[in-house]
Amino acid sequence: MALDSQLLEILACPDTHHTPLTYDADAATLTCPECSRVFEVRDGIPVLLLDEARRPGEAS
């Protein structure tokens, strides 16, 4: 399920820098270009919890 383009415009990393996220529809993830955290999109809902984010190379 693709995320709404208006939602993608306002989504930002929940860490203190609040950098806009990059969406990968094929992987169903949102990535922060500043801290490299990867947030999953589950059933069309972005999970923007720092505790559940992973760094590149970590198992999902």
Side-chain angles (χ1 to χ4, degrees), residues 4-38:
D4 182 67
S5 61
Q6 290 180 330
L7 177 62
L8 289 173
E9 289 178 20
I10 62 171
L11 287 177
C13 184
D15 204 350
T16 57
H17 48 265
H18 304 293
T19 302
L21 300 170
T22 304
Y23 180 50
D24 181 344
D26 293 332
T29 58
L30 293 159
T31 303
C32 176
E34 186 163 326
C35 67
S36 301
R37 286 186 175 98
V38 179

